[in-house]
Each structure stands twice: as structure tokens, then as C-alpha cells.
Amino acid sequence: MKFINLKPYVFGVTFFVFSMGVAQTKSNLEKKEDTIAKPVNQPLVDDDKIDIDFYGFIRHDAFYDTRQVIGAGENLVPLYPRDEQLDINGEDINDASQFHMLSVLSRAGIKLKGPDVLNAKTSGILEGEFFGSSEGGINQFRLRHAYIMLDWETTQLGLGQYWHPMVVLECLPNVVNYSTGSPIFALNRNPQIRLTQQLNSKFKVMAAAISQRDFTPDNTAYRNSGMPSLHLQLQYKSEKFVAGIAQQYENLKPQLSSGEAIQKSNERVESFTTMAYAALTTKPLKVSAAYTFAQNASSLVMLGGYVGYSRPDQVDVFKPMNTQSAWVDFQQLTNKKIALGLYAGLVNNNGVSDPVEGAVATTYGVTSAWGAVSASEGGRSINQLYRVVPRIDFKLNKSIKFRFEIEHTAAEWGDAQIDGTGSGNEVTVNNNRFHLATFFTF
């Protein structure tokens, strides 16, 4: 008899029941003058008050692709149009449409405000959805954010899982689909420790130590490195303008041993990523843009990764692939029910700067796992990809909203080279996605 793993479902139901209980608790708290019940003979004090805010939305997605695509979550996150695959008659097998509907992006969360600790205001967020943590886990409940914040007058300390610091919420593509602009723009949520210091009324600096959890097929190389990824960011922010520059360093240890003779390996792969971004908000329009130079960009769900080189009787060595991307997003700002927007971007796979000639080359990272890059003989790699996405929003009232976009994506594929790029037998394939998302926000 085949047994079904009920743990994910039990957890999801538990969280739902817990959330409903929290909502009722909030109501009860308000009726009891916003205080928490204390043990007998212990006085009630305002300093122990906990404010609870329950939020979320029900979301339904319907989408149609004119071509087969590589994506995540049953292609709810579209990343790359699939390479040309010819049959015996010269017909492209991947030149075939597909349609799907899902509601797995429906979301529930809790915002908390707690008593002061160490002269700091405390707050937290716990949020999840039903996207699952793997392709086979679609519909299962998964954690999005679990983040604790301590705020002093000019300093904030954050601990937990939250958006990667490269995902700057003040400068974000406002696309409809769940990709958030990837593989051109960074997409990641990470366990992290983040320290933000307000330098003055407009400048702040942020430093973070980061690990990997959900956005890699295997985080062993990150754990075996013995150190977190390190991030540093400087931001300027005024009422209408925000700009910043971010730098990240990663040091991974992909293997403990390698070679036919099983030799201990101390080889590492170092990578540096830099991003510059800006957003301008005017009365009719918000314009956001960013440029990124990344190494091992697959950890950000961008085009890239790293390459391992194997040679007889030698320990494998690893080198990061280089990636460049740029994008711009226009969003109409209006009080009317209809608002327009446009996103456009380009990403280039520049490969490894100094590949090891004569070695057997293998790519690593989520982009490689999806089959979008390769360094092996007979493989195929994407050299570049561009995307243009016009969109329109219909806001019927405070709760109900419809969003529709047409996403045009073009990718150039070529024969895999040992540096991870594609050269020879190049072909450009295109996909058009028509995507309608419906929201009921609470």
C-alpha cells in the first residue's frame, strides 16, 4: 500500500488554523483594552502589549504560452523559452503552446509589534503561501518570510528569512507574473542577519550575512564553505528619488574530495556581484532601473552559475560565470481604476573569464539544473535573453484587482563551450505569454 506524506498538508492546515486563531485573538485583544492575559496576581502593563495584524490575499493565475518554456512551479514562473528541438521531419517539437491555471500564490501572513527590548522597538513578520518548495511539492504550504526586527533610533537589526538585499523593494519591477523580472533581475529570499544604519535623513548603509535555502538545487557548497555570503549596500532616499549601490561576496566549497583516486579537495569558487539601481517617483509615473554585474548569478535565479573543471589525477577546480543585466520599469501612478505599466530588460551570459583548456567542464547551479546553461560537449547554452512586458491593472475596489500582461521573451541558444557560453548553431527562439492574475486582498 502506498502511503501519502501528510506532513506538508498538516503543516499548512495548522498554519491556517493558527492564523484564524490569531485573527480572533486580535479581536479579543481589542475588546480587552489591547492587553494580553497574565497569570493570576501578575499585573497587566502596557509594556507587554503585542499588536497582531493578519493579512494576505487570494490569488488566481491563468496564463497561455505560445511556446514550451523552462520555468518553476508548473511554469508559473517563466524563465526561458525552450531551445529548438527538431524531429526527423525538421519540425520544432518545442514550438507548441500551453495553458494553465493555478491558485498556489494565495498568501497569508502575520505582522507583529512587541514590547521594547534593549531600548529597541520589536516587530516581526511570518508569511507563507502554497507554491511548495519543489516542483513536486506544488500546492504545498511553504515559508516565505520569518523575520524579526529590532529598531533603535537610527539602527535596525533584522534576523530571519526575508528578501535578499539585492531585491530592493523601493526599486522593483512591477510585473504581474511571479518571476519578479528574473532571470534579468534578482529573485531570492534568504536566511540572514542584516544590520542597517541610518547615517542621516537621506543616507543609510546596510550590511548582511546570508545563507542559501530555497533558491538552489543543492546548498551543500554554501554550507561547506564555512562562511556566509557577505553583502554591503549604500542607499540614498528622498521623498521622490532613491538610488544605491550594492556589493556581494560569496566563497563556496563545492567538493570535499574529487578525482578517481579520491583526493581531499580544498578548492573553492569565489564570486563578486555588484548592482547599481535608481527609482524616480513623479506625479504621473514611477521609473525604476538597475544594472547588475554578477558572478555565479544562478543563486539569484539569474542566467549564470559556475563551472567545474576535471583533469586526470588532479583535484577539480571551479570558476564563476560572469553575467550582465540591465532593466527598466515604468509604472503609471493614478487614482483611477486603470493603470498602465511596462518592463523591459536584457541579460547576457559572458561565461568564465579563464576556462581550463583540455579539462572536462561541468556547470553548476539552478540555471544548469534547469538546462539553460552547459559547458559539456553536446550541451546547449543561452547566450543572451531579452524581455518586454506591457501590462494593465484594473482596480475595482480596495479588495478586488485584475492584472494582465503580455510578456515577450527571446533567447539565443548555441552549442555549449567550456566557458559556459553558447557558440555555433545559434538559434533565437521566442515566447509570448498572456497572463491574467486576479486578487482578493484582505
Side-chain angles (χ1 to χ4, degrees):
M1 178 180 293
K2 183 178 180 181
F3 291 91
I4 299 174
N5 182 7
L6 296 177
K7 291 183 180 179
Y9 302 97
V10 172
F11 178 73
V13 171
T14 302
F15 182 83
F16 179 76
V17 173
F18 170 72
S19 300
M20 295 299 101
V22 168
Q24 182 61 46
T25 300
K26 181 180 178 183
S27 175
N28 293 339
L29 289 174
E30 292 173 347
K31 294 179 181 179
K32 297 180 180 181
E33 298 179 346
D34 294 320
T35 59
I36 302 296
K38 298 293 180 181
V40 178
N41 298 327
Q42 183 173 343
L44 299 174
V45 293
D46 289 341
D47 290 344
D48 293 329
K49 181 178 68 174
I50 298 177
D51 293 329
I52 304 171
D53 184 20
F54 180 64
Y55 70 94
F57 55 73
I58 300 170
R59 172 170 171 162
H60 178 265
D61 292 270
F63 48 94
Y64 171 86
D65 292 293
T66 58
R67 183 180 183 82
Q68 297 293 296
V69 301
I70 297 173
E74 297 182 0
N75 291 334
L76 186 56
V77 181
L79 294 169
Y80 322 99
R82 285 194 178 274
D83 189 14
E84 188 178 70
Q85 183 182 2
L86 302 181
D87 67 5
I88 59 174
N89 299 314
E91 297 288 333
D92 184 3
I93 295 173
N94 288 326
D95 185 13
S97 62
Q98 54 183 348
F99 172 80
H100 201 15
M101 291 191 294
L102 289 167
S103 295
V104 298
L105 296 185
S106 299
R107 184 180 306 173
I110 302 169
K111 291 181 180 179
L112 303 171
K113 289 186 178 180
D116 291 356
V117 172
L118 302 175
N119 296 320
K121 297 184 182 300
T122 63
S123 61
I125 180 173
L126 178 63
E127 182 180 295
E129 65 187 3
F130 298 89
F131 187 75
S133 58
S134 66
E135 196 67 25
I138 197 78
N139 259 359
Q140 295 178 358
F141 193 80
R142 75 158 179 180
L143 179 71
R144 278 176 55 87
H145 300 303
Y147 198 59
I148 303 167
M149 287 166 284
L150 283 75
D151 282 278
W152 290 269
E153 185 175 352
T154 59
T155 306
Q156 181 187 81
L157 176 65
L159 306 97
Q161 179 164 301
Y162 193 59
W163 285 114
H164 189 284
M166 289 284 186
V167 182
V168 181
L169 299 184
E170 298 92 341
C171 183
L172 195 68
N174 195 25
V175 295
V176 175
N177 76 65
Y178 198 47
S179 70
T180 320
S182 62
I184 299 168
F185 180 66
L187 173 63
N188 204 334
R189 288 178 295 273
N190 307 75
Q192 60 189 275
I193 300 174
R194 181 189 296 197
L195 182 65
T196 304
Q197 179 65 46
Q198 196 75 37
L199 302 179
N200 55 38
S201 61
K202 295 182 179 179
F203 281 96
K204 67 179 180 182
V205 63
M206 182 261 288
I210 305 166
S211 67
Q212 287 285 348
R213 179 59 190 92
D214 294 334
F215 291 79
T216 176
D218 183 3
N219 62 11
T220 304
Y222 295 88
R223 292 185 284 118
N224 285 344
S225 70
M227 63 179 294
S229 303
L230 303 176
H231 184 97
L232 185 64
Q233 186 172 153
L234 176 66
Q235 184 185 95
Y236 169 89
K237 184 178 181 180
S238 64
E239 183 179 355
K240 296 183 178 181
F241 183 70
V242 60
I245 186 168
Q247 176 75 59
Q248 180 162 303
Y249 170 73
E250 284 186 339
N251 187 313
L252 308 184
K253 189 175 183 179
Q255 294 178 344
L256 297 179
S257 63
S258 65
E260 295 181 0
I262 312 296
Q263 302 178 66
K264 181 177 179 179
S265 174
N266 292 312
E267 292 294 322
R268 294 176 175 267
V269 53
E270 291 184 305
S271 59
F272 296 86
T273 296
T274 300
M275 180 180 72
Y277 62 89
L280 175 65
T281 302
T282 64
K283 188 174 182 179
L285 194 68
K286 179 178 181 180
V287 182
S288 306
Y291 167 81
T292 304
F293 172 81
Q295 293 183 316
N296 186 22
S298 66
S299 64
L300 300 173
V301 196
M302 298 173 66
L303 188 62
Y306 63 95
V307 182
Y309 295 96
S310 302
R311 295 160 294 177
D313 303 322
Q314 297 189 45
V315 173
D316 295 351
V317 296
F318 302 89
K319 296 178 181 293
M321 298 171 63
N322 301 307
T323 301
Q324 288 179 290
S325 76
W327 60 267
V328 62
D329 186 87
F330 301 91
Q331 177 61 53
Q332 182 185 11
L333 302 179
T334 177
N335 293 325
K336 297 180 180 180
K337 292 186 176 182
I338 297 178
L340 303 177
L342 175 68
Y343 169 77
L346 171 71
V347 59
N348 284 319
N349 169 19
N350 296 330
V352 173
S353 299
D354 53 344
V356 179
E357 299 292 340
V360 176
T362 305
T363 52
Y364 295 87
V366 67
T367 314
S368 176
W370 280 323
V373 296
S374 175
S376 303
E377 184 177 356
R380 298 277 285 175
S381 271
I382 296 178
N383 273 328
Q384 66 176 14
L385 176 147
Y386 76 83
R387 178 172 291 168
V388 179
V389 192
R391 61 182 181 268
I392 183 169
D393 295 349
F394 300 90
K395 187 175 182 180
L396 301 185
N397 55 38
K398 186 177 180 180
S399 298
I400 301 294
K401 179 171 63 175
F402 297 95
R403 304 194 69 199
F404 177 75
E405 70 182 14
I406 301 174
E407 176 188 283
H408 175 74
T409 305
E412 181 189 80
W413 292 80
D415 291 343
Q417 307 297 309
I418 63 170
D419 63 354
T421 62
S423 178
N425 296 314
E426 293 96 337
V427 61
T428 298
V429 293
N430 298 270
N431 177 60
N432 294 306
R433 166 165 289 200
F434 301 85
H435 193 142
L436 174 66
T438 306
F439 297 80
F440 186 105
T441 303
F442 54 89

Short mmCIF file of all heavy atoms in Angstrom, two decimals, residues 219-253:
data_model
loop_
_atom_site.label_atom_id
_atom_site.label_comp_id
_atom_site.label_asym_id
_atom_site.label_seq_id
_atom_site.Cartn_x
_atom_site.Cartn_y
_atom_site.Cartn_z
N ASN A 219 22.28 23.16 -1.52
CA ASN A 219 23.02 24.21 -0.80
C ASN A 219 24.24 23.67 -0.06
O ASN A 219 24.80 24.36 0.79
CB ASN A 219 22.09 24.95 0.17
CG ASN A 219 21.52 24.05 1.26
OD1 ASN A 219 21.95 22.91 1.44
ND2 ASN A 219 20.54 24.57 1.99
N THR A 220 24.67 22.45 -0.41
CA THR A 220 25.83 21.86 0.27
C THR A 220 27.08 22.71 0.12
O THR A 220 27.85 22.89 1.07
CB THR A 220 26.10 20.44 -0.27
OG1 THR A 220 24.93 19.65 -0.13
CG2 THR A 220 27.25 19.79 0.48
N ALA A 221 27.32 23.26 -1.09
CA ALA A 221 28.51 24.08 -1.32
C ALA A 221 28.50 25.33 -0.46
O ALA A 221 29.57 25.81 -0.04
CB ALA A 221 28.60 24.46 -2.80
N TYR A 222 27.32 25.86 -0.17
CA TYR A 222 27.22 27.05 0.69
C TYR A 222 27.50 26.67 2.15
O TYR A 222 28.20 27.39 2.86
CB TYR A 222 25.82 27.66 0.55
CG TYR A 222 25.51 28.19 -0.82
CD1 TYR A 222 24.97 27.36 -1.80
CD2 TYR A 222 25.77 29.51 -1.15
CE1 TYR A 222 24.69 27.84 -3.07
CE2 TYR A 222 25.49 30.00 -2.42
CZ TYR A 222 24.95 29.15 -3.38
OH TYR A 222 24.68 29.63 -4.64
N ARG A 223 26.95 25.54 2.59
CA ARG A 223 27.15 25.12 3.98
C ARG A 223 28.59 24.69 4.24
O ARG A 223 29.17 25.00 5.28
CB ARG A 223 26.17 24.00 4.33
CG ARG A 223 24.72 24.47 4.38
CD ARG A 223 23.76 23.40 4.84
NE ARG A 223 23.50 22.41 3.80
CZ ARG A 223 23.79 21.13 3.88
NH1 ARG A 223 24.38 20.66 4.96
NH2 ARG A 223 23.51 20.29 2.90
N ASN A 224 29.19 23.98 3.26
CA ASN A 224 30.56 23.50 3.45
C ASN A 224 31.60 24.61 3.34
O ASN A 224 32.77 24.40 3.67
CB ASN A 224 30.88 22.40 2.44
CG ASN A 224 30.22 21.08 2.79
OD1 ASN A 224 29.78 20.88 3.92
ND2 ASN A 224 30.15 20.18 1.83
N SER A 225 31.18 25.78 2.86
CA SER A 225 32.14 26.89 2.76
C SER A 225 32.59 27.36 4.14
O SER A 225 33.68 27.92 4.29
CB SER A 225 31.51 28.06 2.01
OG SER A 225 30.48 28.68 2.79
N GLY A 226 31.76 27.13 5.15
CA GLY A 226 32.12 27.55 6.49
C GLY A 226 31.94 29.03 6.75
O GLY A 226 32.33 29.52 7.82
N MET A 227 31.34 29.74 5.80
CA MET A 227 31.13 31.17 5.98
C MET A 227 29.90 31.61 5.20
O MET A 227 29.55 30.99 4.19
CB MET A 227 32.35 31.97 5.52
CG MET A 227 32.67 31.84 4.03
SD MET A 227 34.11 32.82 3.52
CE MET A 227 33.48 34.48 3.79
N PRO A 228 29.22 32.66 5.64
CA PRO A 228 28.06 33.15 4.90
C PRO A 228 28.48 34.01 3.71
O PRO A 228 29.64 34.43 3.61
CB PRO A 228 27.32 34.00 5.94
CG PRO A 228 28.43 34.54 6.81
CD PRO A 228 29.45 33.43 6.88
N SER A 229 27.54 34.26 2.81
CA SER A 229 27.75 35.29 1.80
C SER A 229 27.69 36.65 2.50
O SER A 229 26.91 36.83 3.44
CB SER A 229 26.67 35.20 0.72
OG SER A 229 26.66 33.94 0.11
N LEU A 230 28.48 37.58 2.03
CA LEU A 230 28.58 38.89 2.67
C LEU A 230 28.09 39.97 1.72
O LEU A 230 28.46 39.99 0.54
CB LEU A 230 30.02 39.17 3.09
CG LEU A 230 30.64 38.13 4.03
CD1 LEU A 230 32.11 38.45 4.29
CD2 LEU A 230 29.87 38.05 5.35
N HIS A 231 27.26 40.86 2.23
CA HIS A 231 26.62 41.89 1.41
C HIS A 231 26.79 43.25 2.06
O HIS A 231 26.64 43.40 3.27
CB HIS A 231 25.13 41.57 1.25
CG HIS A 231 24.40 42.52 0.35
ND1 HIS A 231 24.16 42.23 -0.98
CD2 HIS A 231 23.85 43.74 0.57
CE1 HIS A 231 23.50 43.24 -1.53
NE2 HIS A 231 23.31 44.17 -0.60
N LEU A 232 27.07 44.26 1.22
CA LEU A 232 27.19 45.64 1.68
C LEU A 232 26.47 46.55 0.70
O LEU A 232 26.63 46.41 -0.52
CB LEU A 232 28.67 46.05 1.77
CG LEU A 232 28.96 47.45 2.36
CD1 LEU A 232 28.52 47.52 3.82
CD2 LEU A 232 30.44 47.78 2.22
N GLN A 233 25.66 47.47 1.22
CA GLN A 233 24.85 48.33 0.36
C GLN A 233 24.74 49.73 0.95
O GLN A 233 24.53 49.90 2.15
CB GLN A 233 23.45 47.72 0.20
CG GLN A 233 22.57 48.45 -0.78
CD GLN A 233 21.27 47.69 -1.06
OE1 GLN A 233 20.25 48.30 -1.41
NE2 GLN A 233 21.28 46.37 -0.91
N LEU A 234 24.87 50.72 0.06
CA LEU A 234 24.69 52.13 0.42
C LEU A 234 23.52 52.67 -0.36
O LEU A 234 23.44 52.49 -1.59
CB LEU A 234 25.95 52.94 0.10
CG LEU A 234 25.87 54.45 0.35
CD1 LEU A 234 25.72 54.74 1.84
CD2 LEU A 234 27.11 55.16 -0.22
N GLN A 235 22.57 53.34 0.32
CA GLN A 235 21.37 53.84 -0.33
C GLN A 235 21.10 55.30 0.03
O GLN A 235 21.25 55.70 1.18
CB GLN A 235 20.16 53.00 0.06
CG GLN A 235 18.87 53.40 -0.66
CD GLN A 235 17.66 52.64 -0.17
OE1 GLN A 235 16.91 53.11 0.70
NE2 GLN A 235 17.47 51.43 -0.71
N TYR A 236 20.71 56.06 -1.00
CA TYR A 236 20.21 57.42 -0.83
C TYR A 236 18.71 57.40 -1.09
O TYR A 236 18.25 56.84 -2.08
CB TYR A 236 20.89 58.37 -1.82
CG TYR A 236 20.25 59.75 -1.89
CD1 TYR A 236 20.67 60.77 -1.03
CD2 TYR A 236 19.22 60.01 -2.79
CE1 TYR A 236 20.08 62.03 -1.09
CE2 TYR A 236 18.63 61.26 -2.86
CZ TYR A 236 19.06 62.27 -2.01
OH TYR A 236 18.46 63.51 -2.06
N LYS A 237 17.94 58.02 -0.20
CA LYS A 237 16.49 58.02 -0.37
C LYS A 237 15.90 59.34 0.07
O LYS A 237 16.08 59.77 1.22
CB LYS A 237 15.85 56.88 0.43
CG LYS A 237 14.36 56.75 0.23
CD LYS A 237 13.80 55.58 1.02
CE LYS A 237 12.30 55.43 0.81
NZ LYS A 237 11.75 54.29 1.59
N SER A 238 15.22 59.99 -0.88
CA SER A 238 14.47 61.21 -0.58
C SER A 238 12.99 60.92 -0.83
O SER A 238 12.60 59.78 -1.07
CB SER A 238 14.96 62.38 -1.44
OG SER A 238 14.71 62.13 -2.81
N GLU A 239 12.18 61.95 -0.81
CA GLU A 239 10.75 61.75 -0.98
C GLU A 239 10.39 61.18 -2.35
O GLU A 239 9.50 60.34 -2.47
CB GLU A 239 10.01 63.08 -0.78
CG GLU A 239 8.50 62.95 -0.86
CD GLU A 239 7.80 64.28 -0.63
OE1 GLU A 239 8.48 65.27 -0.30
OE2 GLU A 239 6.56 64.33 -0.79
N LYS A 240 11.12 61.58 -3.39
CA LYS A 240 10.77 61.16 -4.75
C LYS A 240 11.86 60.36 -5.45
O LYS A 240 11.64 59.87 -6.56
CB LYS A 240 10.44 62.40 -5.60
CG LYS A 240 9.21 63.16 -5.13
CD LYS A 240 8.89 64.31 -6.06
CE LYS A 240 7.63 65.05 -5.62
NZ LYS A 240 7.30 66.17 -6.53
N PHE A 241 13.02 60.21 -4.84
CA PHE A 241 14.14 59.57 -5.54
C PHE A 241 14.87 58.63 -4.60
O PHE A 241 15.12 58.96 -3.43
CB PHE A 241 15.09 60.64 -6.07
CG PHE A 241 16.24 60.07 -6.87
CD1 PHE A 241 16.05 59.51 -8.12
CD2 PHE A 241 17.53 60.11 -6.36
CE1 PHE A 241 17.10 58.99 -8.85
CE2 PHE A 241 18.60 59.61 -7.09
CZ PHE A 241 18.38 59.04 -8.34
N VAL A 242 15.21 57.45 -5.11
CA VAL A 242 16.03 56.51 -4.37
C VAL A 242 17.10 55.97 -5.30
O VAL A 242 16.85 55.73 -6.50
CB VAL A 242 15.18 55.35 -3.80
CG1 VAL A 242 14.48 54.58 -4.91
CG2 VAL A 242 16.02 54.40 -2.97
N ALA A 243 18.31 55.81 -4.80
CA ALA A 243 19.42 55.27 -5.59
C ALA A 243 20.38 54.57 -4.64
O ALA A 243 20.48 54.92 -3.45
CB ALA A 243 20.13 56.37 -6.36
N GLY A 244 21.08 53.57 -5.18
CA GLY A 244 22.01 52.85 -4.32
C GLY A 244 22.97 52.00 -5.12
O GLY A 244 22.81 51.80 -6.33
N ILE A 245 23.95 51.49 -4.40
CA ILE A 245 24.92 50.56 -4.97
C ILE A 245 25.12 49.43 -3.97
O ILE A 245 25.18 49.66 -2.75
CB ILE A 245 26.24 51.26 -5.32
CG1 ILE A 245 27.17 50.29 -6.06
CG2 ILE A 245 26.91 51.85 -4.09
CD1 ILE A 245 28.36 50.96 -6.70
N ALA A 246 25.18 48.20 -4.48
CA ALA A 246 25.29 47.02 -3.62
C ALA A 246 26.43 46.14 -4.10
O ALA A 246 26.68 46.02 -5.31
CB ALA A 246 23.97 46.23 -3.62
N GLN A 247 27.10 45.50 -3.16
CA GLN A 247 28.22 44.61 -3.46
C GLN A 247 28.07 43.34 -2.63
O GLN A 247 27.77 43.41 -1.43
CB GLN A 247 29.55 45.27 -3.14
CG GLN A 247 30.78 44.39 -3.32
CD GLN A 247 31.14 44.17 -4.79
OE1 GLN A 247 31.39 45.14 -5.50
NE2 GLN A 247 31.18 42.93 -5.23
N GLN A 248 28.27 42.17 -3.27
CA GLN A 248 28.18 40.91 -2.55
C GLN A 248 29.37 40.02 -2.86
O GLN A 248 29.87 39.99 -3.98
CB GLN A 248 26.89 40.16 -2.92
CG GLN A 248 26.74 38.83 -2.19
CD GLN A 248 25.33 38.31 -2.21
OE1 GLN A 248 24.40 38.98 -1.76
NE2 GLN A 248 25.13 37.11 -2.72
N TYR A 249 29.82 39.30 -1.83
CA TYR A 249 30.94 38.35 -1.96
C TYR A 249 30.49 36.99 -1.49
O TYR A 249 29.88 36.85 -0.42
CB TYR A 249 32.13 38.83 -1.13
CG TYR A 249 33.24 37.81 -1.02
CD1 TYR A 249 34.06 37.53 -2.10
CD2 TYR A 249 33.46 37.11 0.18
CE1 TYR A 249 35.09 36.59 -2.01
CE2 TYR A 249 34.48 36.17 0.29
CZ TYR A 249 35.29 35.93 -0.81
OH TYR A 249 36.29 34.99 -0.71
N GLU A 250 30.77 35.95 -2.30
CA GLU A 250 30.48 34.57 -1.93
C GLU A 250 31.74 33.73 -2.06
O GLU A 250 32.52 33.92 -2.99
CB GLU A 250 29.38 33.97 -2.82
CG GLU A 250 27.98 34.44 -2.48
CD GLU A 250 26.93 33.70 -3.29
OE1 GLU A 250 27.26 33.13 -4.35
OE2 GLU A 250 25.77 33.71 -2.85
N ASN A 251 31.90 32.79 -1.14
CA ASN A 251 33.02 31.87 -1.17
C ASN A 251 32.46 30.47 -0.91
O ASN A 251 32.08 30.14 0.22
CB ASN A 251 34.06 32.25 -0.10
CG ASN A 251 35.32 31.44 -0.19
OD1 ASN A 251 35.29 30.22 -0.32
ND2 ASN A 251 36.45 32.11 -0.10
N LEU A 252 32.38 29.65 -1.96
CA LEU A 252 31.77 28.34 -1.86
C LEU A 252 32.81 27.23 -1.93
O LEU A 252 33.87 27.38 -2.54
CB LEU A 252 30.75 28.14 -3.00
CG LEU A 252 29.70 29.22 -3.19
CD1 LEU A 252 28.72 28.81 -4.28
CD2 LEU A 252 28.97 29.51 -1.90
N LYS A 253 32.48 26.10 -1.30
CA LYS A 253 33.33 24.91 -1.36
C LYS A 253 32.49 23.78 -1.96
O LYS A 253 31.77 23.06 -1.26
CB LYS A 253 33.83 24.53 0.03
CG LYS A 253 34.88 23.43 0.02
CD LYS A 253 35.42 23.18 1.43
CE LYS A 253 36.53 22.13 1.40
NZ LYS A 253 37.10 21.88 2.74
#
